Amino acid sequence: MKIYSKYIAAIALSLVLASCKAPMATVIQDEVKNNIPENFNQNEQQDENTNSGTTPWRQFFTDPNLVSLIETSLKNNQELMITLQEIEIAKSGIVAKKGRLSPSVRAGLGAGVSKVGRYTSEGAGDASTEIEPGREIPDPLGNFEGGLMANWEIDIWKKLRTEKDAAVAHYLSTVEGKNFVLSNLIEEVADNYYELLALDNQLDIIQQYIKLQTRALEIAKIQKQAAAATELAVKKFEAELAKSKATEYTIRQQITEKENQINALCGRYPQPIVRTKESFMSIIPQTVYTGIPSQLLANRPDIKQAELELKAAKLDVEAARKEFYPSLEISATLGLEAFKPSYLVKLPESIATSLVGELAGPLINKSAIKANFQTADAKQIQALYEYDKTILNAYLDISNLMSKVKNIDQYYQLKSQETQALDQSIDIANQLFKNSRADYLEVLLNQRDALDAKMELIEAKEKQLSTVVDIYKSLGGGWK
């Protein structure tokens, strides 16, 4: 028997060792992060000590009405509230994983009854046993118990610690995700606010144009009565006036929708948006300093979020790999047990204890464990691609926006010159028309061109301001 026991122990040990064989995870290298350019523009050197992305949003935005809207949105925005709950969920995940590192202890009570056959070894033994002189074990036999039960998985391979570390990394990524939502929210509020101011100014322009068209129509009617113009000129001016009035209602609808967009971001029902439109065209966009590309890794919440998700994915692969190793579990019980409730208090006879240690590992049919490992390995590679894509998109965003700032500034200057020239041409055309030295078509064309130029100039100003906001957000600004 001793020889057989040695063989059985050797076979069991061989099987446990065989179960320890685990596949290797895919080794991944981050080429995008390692090869990030030194500057956003290869022809220009940036100062690493000056980066607008580190400026707090309260210092970056100076319009008190805009600051008030941002404050309201940070308190009431539903998407932000949802993100905060995701952080709480992730925090609970850490507590759950950490709890598995400690023993679990339960208290329980139980009662039951059983009857075994008289002509069995157990039944015959019970029948011949006296618990007291003259008293045999009752049949059927009751069982009453109560006590403490403990279970503990010993983390011999640090699998549970790895799972806890993965949960911590995921929690930290949700915090960065919240910061990214903050940054996006502030950008959206500011962009919509500037678009609303632009629409206000366009409405003023179209109303001025309507007054101009009304006067031109009156002149055309007078000239027709004096036989200096025809009915065609009158109808053309009437059509142009109707078109302008229709445009006014279109802009009014756009203003309503834009106000409600801002109200939605602020998490409130429709109400007027407090703003000052008169100074819109005189706002000078802030100068934005980009710093160097490597600072994006520390400043942009979405990049830090993707990096932490990559870290969590790597830890998940490590934990999934350790599922191939045997696990050691210890179970223990301590309590009282008797076939009659009154006997439970008879000590030490009613005391029941047990201590069991079990070392077990997967041996046959590992398909589920292999599938979990392959899934975790694929998610690790996917997380790397997401991280690289986030870095690349961040760099390209800033590169595009820097170019846009320069070009939109030039565009705005030229549109200003065009508007000034067309304003002068309108006065000249109107004077010539009054003196019958120019026809109505010249007046209409000049007025249309001037209107279009002024509308485009307002749009250019809005793009100037919004582009600066977009760069600020792309540099990682807004969440601090």
Side-chain angles (χ1 to χ4, degrees), residues 322-382:
K322 291 175 180 177
E323 290 289 346
F324 290 90
Y325 300 158
S327 60
L328 175 60
E329 292 189 8
I330 297 177
S331 300
T333 59
L334 173 63
L336 303 175
E337 187 174 15
F339 61 82
K340 191 175 181 181
S342 60
Y343 289 165
L344 288 174
V345 295
K346 291 189 175 183
L347 303 176
E349 290 83 356
S350 62
I351 295 177
T353 62
S354 69
L355 179 65
V356 179
E358 182 182 50
L359 180 66
L363 183 62
I364 301 174
N365 192 11
K366 302 180 183 179
S367 58
I369 299 176
K370 289 180 180 178
N372 289 336
F373 172 78
Q374 291 169 354
T375 300
D377 194 43
K379 287 184 177 180
Q380 172 195 218
I381 299 172
Q382 186 183 51

Side-chain angles (χ1 to χ4, degrees), residues 9 15 49 53 62 72 105 134-135 178 188 198 231 290 460 477:
L15 293 176
N49 297 319
T62 57
T72 303
V105 180
R135 296 187 62 184
K178 181 264 296 181
E188 280 192 80
E231 180 68 17
T290 60

Side-chain angles (χ1 to χ4, degrees), residues 199-217:
L199 288 171
D200 287 338
N201 280 264
Q202 287 182 334
L203 181 62
D204 289 343
I205 292 297
I206 198 68
Q207 288 174 341
Q208 294 173 14
Y209 185 67
I210 289 173
K211 293 179 181 178
L212 185 63
Q213 287 296 313
T214 302
R215 288 196 297 269
L217 176 59

